[in-house]
């Protein structure tokens, strides 16, 4: 839906939250009501004054021993819930994360199912102040909302109690692992990677199809104008984004497999995978959203002036992707969390302890300063990225330790090392994406594909790997001194990979299978009738309904006849 889906959070987040955080009985009551849409809902975590720092949420839920109820309040303007999708008009219930108090003692964050509107009249319930937050840069159809609560009472059993519980007598049972409260966020970050990678493939489809229609500037003098997709500089704008969309879709698949495994482990009381799962969901959310936001803008520029038209729909995609860089965890904050995970993992590597699979490369890379022999293979390109990441992690760790020895607190030292933590985290995420892409193209799955498809995927992998190494060459050269011929060969390979993808580019985008009604673009329709569609859209503009708009008579003519 071009303007966003008002029930997207209801379908994509709330139902899974109730399944993960609620008991089976609670899912039977609330989850199935959401599934049947007899109850519409939102997820109200972010507050006007508090975002990623969840422990700082001001909304509180006090347990009333006498009535067996929770009393919810947003005591200040900064504690108002702010941004929940669908809460502005669509939702009649919401999941409210709040700090739980028993006898005025805070027990930490808990989640509550809170009715906010009457199920029949849809009017706000007593004590509920709810509405729309107003215009945003995008997502006009999502009706992001605000929510204030004043002494709103709900039954004790409306607290989601799979992991932590409050009994009738007020006894509090702590969750076995505190981060389980945030596991819903891990799930939604997985979905963000999938959705944003899809949006990048949509923008790439629009720009690639347009580039196959648009003709501009002959390559050889006195020859006809060529399709702009034949210009190498245009290919450099288009094809890396096609490769990126595939790389992050594959990364999502790998990430979601780990999510499902972790979910099963949690059901059996095994929580060891949680730190790795949390770290991966954070870094892939960051990389996919930031890469896509930059990529969509490049693709808009690749369409020249027509890319600026609203009817191209690239602008709408850009606005939606831009929002994803801040919702469900602001990207810089998430990078810092991943950086801290790397510091813990590196400390374990130095101690000879076993590492989580996705950071296991640190174990060997700690001992390696460079590649022994450079062949330029895909495996070499991945290995050099991993060694560069380990080196960056090592430097960051040393600087962090030096600040601690100098007398800074852990928090102060982490703040002072923040830039390096984010850089190490970014490199770590890139290694995961590259390793996943390489495994898909060269691993067991390749045996079930045709040679022709494997060749196309190999071309895309080549472009992705070369582009990535060139992007992070400043880090690569710190651990491996490539000679002039080797660096020149990378540039040549980049150009060759673009040339190899050129014959298949449009068909690859067709393979994404985006229907015209979803692309919603005059530039990217399957039939390629770009100019006809642009002109038809212009004709439909309301300003063209009359040959002379009324405003000409009421404003422009009097102005022109006035004495200045």
């Amino acid at each position: 839906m071009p303007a966003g889906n008002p029930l997207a959070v209801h379908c994509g987040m709330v139902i899974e939250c109730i399944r993960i955080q609620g008991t089976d009985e609670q899912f039977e009551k609330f989850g199935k009501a959401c599934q049947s849409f007899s109850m519409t809902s939102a997820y109200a975590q972010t507050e006007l004054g508090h975002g990623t720092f969840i422990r700082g949420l001001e909304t509180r839920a006090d347990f009333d021993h006498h009535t067996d109820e929770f009393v919810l309040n947003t005591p200040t303007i900064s504690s108002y819930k702010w941004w929940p999708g669908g809460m502005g008009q669509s939702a009649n219930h919401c999941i409210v994360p709040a700090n739980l108090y028993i006898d005025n003692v805070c027990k930490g964050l808990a989640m509550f199912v809170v009715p906010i509107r009457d199920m029949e009249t849809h009017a706000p319930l007593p004590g509920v102040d709810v509405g729309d937050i107003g215009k945003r840069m995008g997502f006009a159809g999502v009706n992001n909302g605000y929510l204030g609560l004043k002494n709103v009472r709900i039954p004790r059993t409306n607290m989601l109690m799979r992991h932590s519980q409050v009994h009738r007598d007020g006894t509090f049972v702590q969750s076995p692992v505190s981060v389980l409260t945030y596991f819903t966020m891990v799930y939604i970050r997985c979905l963000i990677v999938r959705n944003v990678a899809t949006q990048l493939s949509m923008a790439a489809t629009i720009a690639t199809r347009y580039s196959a229609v648009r003709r501009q500037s002959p390559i050889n003098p006195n020859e006809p104008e060529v399709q702009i997709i034949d210009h190498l500089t245009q290919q450099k704008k288009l094809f890396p984004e096609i490769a990126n969309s595939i790389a992050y879709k594959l990364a999502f698949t790998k990430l979601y497999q780990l999510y499902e495994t972790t979910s099963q482990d949690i059901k059996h009381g095994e929580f060891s995978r949680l730190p790795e799962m949390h770290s991966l969901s954070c870094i892939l959310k960051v990389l996919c959203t930031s890469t896509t936001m930059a990529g969509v803008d490049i693709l808009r520029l690749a369409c020249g002036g027509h890319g600026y038209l609203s009817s191209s729909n690239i602008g709408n995609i850009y606005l939606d992707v831009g929002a994803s860089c801040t919702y469900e965890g602001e990207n810089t904050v998430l990078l810092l969390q991943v950086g801290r995970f790397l510091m813990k993992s590196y400390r374990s590597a130095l101690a000879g302890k076993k590492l989580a699979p996705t950071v296991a490369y640190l174990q060997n890379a700690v001992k390696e300063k460079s590649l022994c022999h450079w062949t330029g293979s895909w495996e070499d390109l991945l290995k050099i990225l991993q060694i560069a990441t380990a080196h960056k992690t090592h430097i960051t760790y040393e600087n962090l330790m030096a600040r601690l020895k100098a007398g800074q607190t852990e928090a102060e030292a982490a703040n002072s090392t923040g830039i390096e933590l984010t850089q190490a985290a970014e490199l770590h995420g890139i290694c995961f994406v590259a390793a996943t892409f390489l495994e898909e193209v060269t691993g067991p799955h390749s045996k079930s594909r045709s040679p022709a498809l494997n060749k196309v995927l190999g071309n895309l992998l080549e472009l992705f790997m070369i582009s990535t190494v060139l992007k992070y060459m400043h880090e690569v050269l710190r651990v491996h001194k490539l000679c002039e011929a080797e660096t020149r060969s990378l540039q040549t390979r980049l150009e060759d990979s673009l040339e190899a993808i050129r014959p298949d580019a449009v068909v690859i985008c067709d393979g994404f299978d985006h229907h015209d009604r979803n692309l919603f673009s005059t530039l990217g329709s399957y039939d390629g009738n770009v100019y006809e569609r642009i002109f038809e859209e212009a004709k439909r503009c309301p300003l063209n309904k009359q040959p002379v708009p009324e405003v000409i008579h009421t404003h422009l003519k009097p102005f022109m006849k006035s004495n200045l």
Side-chain angles (χ1 to χ4, degrees), residues 67-112:
T67 62
D68 195 28
E69 293 174 316
F70 288 107
V71 184
L72 280 83
N73 280 281
T74 50
T76 66
I77 189 170
S78 60
S79 63
Y80 259 62
K81 297 298 183 181
W82 199 266
W83 281 113
M87 195 165 68
Q89 291 95 33
S90 305
N92 54 37
H93 283 71
C94 63
I95 305 294
V96 176
N99 275 307
L100 166 64
Y101 286 81
I102 299 176
D103 299 325
N104 212 32
V105 176
C106 184
K107 302 296 183 179
L109 199 70
M111 296 190 182
F112 304 87

Side-chain angles (χ1 to χ4, degrees), residues 3 36 75 144 148 155 170-171 204 224 239 260 284 294 318 383 392 399 448 470 481 502 512:
S36 67
N144 299 88
T171 301
F239 301 167
E260 290 186 317
L284 288 182
Y318 180 80
K383 187 69 174 176
K392 186 69 179 181
N399 290 339
S448 62
L470 288 173
K481 303 303 179 185
R502 165 63 183 97
F512 291 137

Side-chain angles (χ1 to χ4, degrees), residues 28-290:
E28 190 70 25
K29 179 179 180 180
F30 299 118
K32 290 194 173 179
C34 287
Q35 286 180 325
S36 67
F37 291 94
S38 59
M39 165 178 154
T40 54
S41 55
Y43 185 86
Q45 178 170 289
T46 300
E47 297 175 353
L48 183 57
H50 294 85
T52 308
F53 182 55
I54 307 228
R55 293 197 307 277
L57 294 180
E58 295 180 79
T59 305
R60 59 185 290 159
D62 289 83
F63 180 59
D64 187 333
H65 292 268
H66 301 293
T67 62
D68 195 28
E69 293 174 316
F70 288 107
V71 184
L72 280 83
N73 280 281
T74 50
T76 66
I77 189 170
S78 60
S79 63
Y80 259 62
K81 297 298 183 181
W82 199 266
W83 281 113
M87 195 165 68
Q89 291 95 33
S90 305
N92 54 37
H93 283 71
C94 63
I95 305 294
V96 176
N99 275 307
L100 166 64
Y101 286 81
I102 299 176
D103 299 325
N104 212 32
V105 176
C106 184
K107 302 296 183 179
L109 199 70
M111 296 190 182
F112 304 87
V113 180
V114 182
I116 58 173
R117 289 184 171 97
D118 186 276
M119 296 287 280
E120 295 299 325
T121 66
H122 209 63
L125 294 172
V128 174
D129 183 15
V130 62
D132 195 285
I133 65 171
K135 291 182 179 179
R136 285 79 65 195
M137 288 174 64
F139 285 111
V142 173
N143 66 87
N144 299 88
Y146 65 80
L147 175 68
L149 302 170
K150 185 174 182 180
N151 296 325
V152 172
R153 291 178 171 270
I154 59 173
R156 175 179 55 85
T157 51
N158 277 34
M159 171 183 162
L160 297 180
M161 296 196 195
R162 179 173 293 277
H163 304 300
S164 59
Q165 300 88 36
V166 174
H167 294 166
R168 176 63 186 90
D169 62 0
T171 301
F172 175 68
V173 180
Q174 180 69 50
S175 169
V177 180
S178 60
V179 294
L180 286 174
T181 307
Y182 312 125
F183 197 57
T184 302
M185 300 297 292
V186 171
Y187 170 75
I188 201 64
R189 285 168 191 153
C190 293
L191 297 190
I192 289 172
V193 177
R194 179 197 67 185
N195 295 345
V196 172
T198 300
Q199 287 173 303
L200 181 56
S201 70
M202 291 172 68
T205 299
I206 293 168
T208 301
R209 287 177 174 174
Y210 173 77
S211 298
V213 173
R214 180 77 169 183
R215 292 181 178 271
Q216 191 88 31
S217 304
I219 293 175
N220 292 311
N222 304 318
E223 289 186 1
E225 291 183 304
V226 298
Q227 296 162 287
I228 59 174
I229 199 173
D230 288 332
H231 290 284
L232 192 68
T233 49
Q234 183 75 355
Q235 295 170 12
K236 179 61 173 64
K237 294 176 184 177
L238 301 173
F239 301 167
E241 305 313 327
I242 295 174
N244 281 334
S245 68
I246 292 172
Y248 283 100
K249 179 63 185 300
L250 292 171
F252 157 74
T253 302
K254 186 87 169 180
L255 177 67
Y256 197 72
Q257 289 170 352
L258 181 58
Y259 171 81
E260 290 186 317
T261 302
T262 306
S263 298
Q264 290 302 314
D265 286 350
I266 290 172
K267 289 180 180 179
H268 295 97
E270 172 57 50
F271 309 110
S272 61
R273 294 182 191 267
L274 272 173
E276 180 185 36
M277 182 68 233
H278 174 261
S279 173
L280 265 184
S281 69
C282 287
I283 192 57
L284 288 182
K285 186 268 186 186
V286 170
L287 289 181
C288 189
T289 56
S290 59

